[in-house]
Amino acid sequence: DAGVIQSPRHEVTEMGQEVTLRCKPISGHNSLFWYRQTMMRGLELLIYFNNNVPIDDSGMPEDRFSAKMPNASFSTLKIQPSEPRDSAVYFCASRSSGRALGNEQFFGPGTRLTVL
Amino acid sequence: QKEVEQNSGPLSVPEGAIASLNCTYSDRGSQSFFWYRQYSGKSPELIMFIYSNGDKEDGRFTAQLNKASQYVSLLIRDSQPSDSATYLCAASNFGNEKLTFGTGTRLTIIP
């Protein structure tokens, strides 16, 4: 079974450009998470969805960031306009939700974003 | 103050010795705790989770939880060079899927 799929794997863009990151969760998982990882701040949760509905977007840094999940098998994270401080690795993770205490989040390979 | 704190390291341990990784958390509502391993340039992968006070063993790995002290640890016995990675501690509240991660401890096993 395929794991979480993210695209692109690497993105280099110039300041001011729009960036769209894509994620396909594991089939059957109904929770999806977007994280950003930097050396300074570590792994930070940006937003997560349950059954395609955004549940918590308190980690989204500012209005330049937006995320959508139009269906159970696809999500996007958009940055418009991008800035150099957005440079980071962006991970998508998915999980089979429920009340089980140990339900694991499975991470995708990440997208390394560089904004020049 | 971050909700989940870890010593960033680097922590160097001789091959075959026990590596001890520590984590503290500030939210007393935290119920479940997770240890993820992340190799350089790769994504995090789950090693263990624990939600009851005490020890939980899985092969060479032992997770320890002390809720009174708000302290979680991971012990790696018979350390191998392949254990060299960054170890991330994470916490979640019951019924809340959100994980709060520490910044990670970089572990190096010296052959």
Side-chain angles (χ1 to χ4, degrees), chain A residues 31 33 37 45 48 50 56 58 91 95 97 99 101-102 104-105 107-108, chain B residues 2 32 34 36 38 42-44 46 49 51 94-99 101:
Chain A
S31 294
F33 306 80
Q37 188 174 40
L45 178 66
Y48 81 92
N50 184 264
D56 186 340
S58 59
F91 288 105
R95 174 179 186 259
S97 72
R99 300 258 175 204
L101 291 171
E104 175 181 358
Q105 288 187 20
F107 283 76
Chain B
K2 280 186 72 73
S32 300
F34 302 78
Y36 279 80
Q38 186 175 24
K42 302 296 185 181
S43 56
L46 183 70
F49 69 89
Y51 52 84
F94 180 73
N96 188 338
E97 299 185 84
K98 185 175 167 177
L99 288 182
F101 282 86

Side-chain angles (χ1 to χ4, degrees), chain B residues 9-84:
Chain B
L11 176 65
S12 295
V13 173
E15 183 176 355
I18 296 176
S20 178
L21 303 161
N22 304 315
C23 170
T24 58
Y25 61 95
S26 59
D27 183 356
R28 284 199 173 272
S30 297
Q31 295 282 334
S32 300
F33 303 88
F34 302 78
W35 283 101
Y36 279 80
R37 177 177 63 200
Q38 186 175 24
Y39 292 115
S40 180
K42 302 296 185 181
S43 56
E45 55 181 344
L46 183 70
I47 299 174
M48 291 187 71
F49 69 89
I50 186 169
Y51 52 84
S52 298
N53 269 331
D55 295 0
K56 179 181 179 183
E57 188 173 318
D58 184 1
R60 296 187 297 112
F61 299 95
T62 299
Q64 299 175 318
L65 173 60
N66 183 326
K67 290 187 178 180
S69 301
Q70 295 178 247
Y71 179 88
V72 191
S73 65
L74 179 71
L75 301 178
I76 307 175
R77 290 182 300 282
D78 188 23
S79 297
Q80 303 297 311
S82 60
D83 295 325
S84 297

Side-chain angles (χ1 to χ4, degrees), chain A residues 5 9 16 21 45 47 53 58 60 86 97 105 109 112:
Chain A
I5 298 172
R9 296 291 306 277
L21 310 181
L45 178 66
I47 184 171
V53 176
S58 59
M60 296 285 262
D86 301 330
S97 72
Q105 288 187 20
R112 182 173 295 276

Side-chain angles (χ1 to χ4, degrees), chain A residues 4 36 44 108:
Chain A
V4 176
R36 177 173 67 177
E44 300 175 287

Side-chain angles (χ1 to χ4, degrees), chain A residues 48-115:
Chain A
Y48 81 92
F49 297 82
N50 184 264
N51 293 324
N52 313 336
V53 176
I55 303 300
D56 186 340
D57 65 354
S58 59
M60 296 285 262
E62 47 198 274
D63 291 346
R64 298 184 298 106
F65 285 68
S66 62
K68 293 182 180 179
M69 191 164 186
N71 57 62
S73 59
F74 183 66
S75 178
T76 59
L77 177 68
K78 186 176 293 187
I79 308 172
Q80 165 64 18
S82 58
E83 296 183 3
R85 60 194 168 116
D86 301 330
S87 298
V89 179
Y90 291 81
F91 288 105
C92 176
S94 72
R95 174 179 186 259
S96 177
S97 72
R99 300 258 175 204
L101 291 171
N103 272 9
E104 175 181 358
Q105 288 187 20
F106 292 84
F107 283 76
T111 295
R112 182 173 295 276
L113 173 65
T114 302
V115 183

